[in-house]
Structures are given as C-alpha cells and as structure tokens.
C-alpha cells in the first residue's frame, strides 16, 4: 500500500525521502515563500510568549525605572504602637483599595505594627500576619483590579523562606532577612496580577510587609497589529496544509 502526501509524491517509490520533500514535494516553486511564512509565524508566536513572561527586580530603583503610575501603601500614620485587625483567614485592613489580610492557610492574627512596639519589626510601620498554629503563616494581598507591576518589602524575625504566589501563576521562593531588616520583591508582567499570597513555615511567628507598591509596566500584551500578523500566519499555515494534503 502506498501513502500519497502530495501530488506526484509516493513514499512507496522512495523510502529515503527527507522531511522537506515529504512536506513540500510537488510545490518546489513555492518553497521560499512557504519557508518565510513558517518562520514569521513561529517568530510571532515566540514574541507573544515572551511578552507574557514576568520580569523580576532586585532593587526598588530598578523596578521604579521600569514602571509608571506607581502608588504605595507604607502603613505610616496608622498607629504609634500597634493595631489589631482580627484573627483568622480574611482578618485585615483595606488601604487605598488594597486589602491586606491573613491568608487562607493561617489561623493567625493581623496587625499594623509600629517599631515603637518592638524593634524587630523594622525601622518603619508594617503590616504583619502572625501567630498561626496551622503550620503555615499566610498573608494575602488583594488589589482592586489587575496590575502589571507590583513591589513590596518583606521580612520576618528569624530569616525563614517565604513563597510568593501571584495570581498570574508565578511562584517565587526567597529567604527572608532576619529581625528588623527587609528584602525587596518587585515584578512586572503583561498578564495582570490581582493577588499575592505570601506563605512560610510557621517556625517564624510573623510575615511582615512594608511599602506595597503597584502600577503599570512597560510590557504590554500583543497589540492588534501583532495579533493580526499572527492570525495571518496561522491562516496561511492552514492553507498550506490544505494545499499539501487536501488534493
């Protein structure tokens, strides 16, 4: 039995055919155009995928240089000691439209804490999720709408690992600085971020955050012209397939 893939191309006639012959046999005059079409299609696909990737920043200065329209909650002016916002998942406070709360894996409590209360909270006021007995500390941040850039300072008392889970699917694990010092986490991306869930094993009694910032990044989703080009490339690939195999 012979399998016919293209006009005047029969695998039974020549079992040593290469891939290019199998795909384009009978259409040699159109090969350069077909190659260009496939190259452009794959290039646009790659660019579209890269546009969706998150970018991470080691310093606030670098993050600020890549963003616009930045707003920040710094927790200052709320208390000169500490404020208790409740215990259990959802306990917390909303500031400038952003909700800071105990996350779903914790049964701990929510506070805004001033360094006058205890020096290990750092040099400025911070939001703290603490005292969980579930085995996991959890702090959940929910924005009023999806953003393409966010950043915050983070810390704890003893320098445990923290995991940041973003609503766009990104997961990052870091080692927190200990007692009174803060690390920085900054990210930009085009998919849009609505929530950040910060977790750690509760061998350390607290998760602290400060200077929570959000805005827009220079990375955007593919524009209509790019999408039209991608669509044209895919349509052309479909026509090519029908031409090769539809006769």
């Amino acid at each position: 039995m012979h399998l016919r893939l293209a006009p005047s191309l029969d695998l039974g006639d020549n079992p040593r055919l290469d891939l290019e012959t199998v795909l384009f046999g009978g259409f040699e005059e159109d090969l350069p155009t077909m190659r260009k079409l496939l190259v452009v299609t794959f290039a646009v696909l790659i660019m579209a995928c890269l546009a969706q990737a998150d970018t991470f920043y080691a310093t606030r200065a670098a993050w600020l240089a890549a963003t616009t329209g930045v707003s920040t909650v710094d927790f200052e002016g709320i208390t000169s000691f500490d404020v208790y916002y409740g215990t259990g998942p959802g306990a917390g406070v909303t500031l400038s439209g952003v909700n800071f709360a105990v996350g779903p894996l914790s049964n701990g409590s929510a506070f805004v804490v001033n360094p006058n209360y205890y020096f290990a909270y750092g040099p400025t006021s911070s939001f703290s999720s603490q005292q969980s007995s579930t085995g996991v500390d959890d702090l959940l941040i929910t924005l009023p709408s999806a953003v393409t850039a966010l950043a915050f300072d983070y810390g704890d008392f003893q320098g445990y690992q923290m995991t940041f889970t973003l609503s766009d699917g990104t997961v990052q694990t870091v080692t927190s600085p200990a007692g009174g010092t803060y690390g920085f986490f900054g990210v930009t991306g085009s998919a849009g971020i609505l929530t950040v869930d910060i977790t750690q094993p509760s061998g350390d009694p607290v998760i602290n955050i400060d200077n929570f910032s959000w805005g827009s990044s220079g990375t955007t989703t593919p524009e209509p012209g790019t999408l039209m080009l991608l669509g044209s490339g895919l349509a052309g690939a479909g026509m090519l397939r029908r031409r090769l195999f539809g006769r």
Side-chain angles (χ1 to χ4, degrees):
M1 182 177 69
H2 300 295
L3 177 63
R4 185 168 296 278
L5 296 182
S8 68
L9 172 63
D10 196 323
L11 286 180
D13 299 333
N14 187 355
R16 297 174 62 89
L17 291 171
D18 59 25
L19 179 61
E20 186 173 276
T21 305
V22 171
L23 289 176
F24 302 116
F27 301 100
E28 290 82 357
E29 69 280 4
D30 293 331
L31 266 177
T33 300
M34 292 175 181
R35 286 172 179 160
K36 290 177 182 178
L37 176 62
L38 291 174
V39 168
V40 169
T41 300
F42 285 120
V44 172
L45 283 171
I46 291 170
M47 287 188 293
C49 291
L50 289 175
Q52 300 295 322
D54 287 348
T55 301
F56 301 98
Y57 301 84
T59 67
R60 184 170 291 271
W63 180 82
L64 286 170
T67 58
T68 59
V70 173
S71 300
T72 298
V73 173
D74 62 10
F75 306 103
E76 296 301 325
I78 296 173
T79 180
S80 59
F81 202 63
D82 75 321
V83 177
Y84 168 66
Y85 290 103
T87 296
V93 61
T94 298
L95 300 170
S96 298
V98 181
N99 182 252
F100 303 89
V102 176
L105 301 180
S106 171
N107 62 1
S109 301
F111 295 84
V112 167
V113 182
N114 186 280
N116 290 332
Y117 175 75
Y118 183 45
F119 75 94
Y121 283 97
T124 58
S125 296
S126 60
F127 181 84
S128 182
S129 175
Q130 56 181 267
Q131 304 172 7
S132 176
S133 63
T134 65
V136 179
D137 286 321
D138 193 351
L139 192 163
L140 180 65
I141 304 164
T142 305
L143 291 119
S145 59
V147 300
T148 55
L150 64 82
F152 53 88
D153 301 326
Y154 62 89
D156 62 14
F157 287 168
Q158 302 177 47
Y160 277 71
Q161 283 193 330
M162 291 185 184
T163 298
F164 307 142
T165 303
L166 310 185
S167 59
D168 68 355
T170 298
V171 179
Q172 288 279 299
T173 298
V174 301
T175 298
S176 174
T181 58
Y182 281 80
F184 174 78
F185 175 79
V187 61
T188 60
S190 63
I193 302 165
L194 184 63
T195 64
V196 184
D197 195 7
I198 306 173
T199 57
Q200 71 167 190
S202 58
D204 197 308
V206 300
I207 298 174
N208 301 321
I209 64 163
D210 196 6
N211 299 313
F212 183 83
S213 303
W214 67 98
S216 300
S217 72
T219 304
T220 59
T221 53
E223 298 205 6
T226 303
L227 294 175
M228 288 178 62
L229 180 59
L230 175 60
S232 298
L234 293 176
M239 293 175 63
L240 172 62
R241 182 181 182 278
R242 287 193 296 272
R243 183 176 181 186
L244 290 174
F245 300 107
R247 292 186 179 183

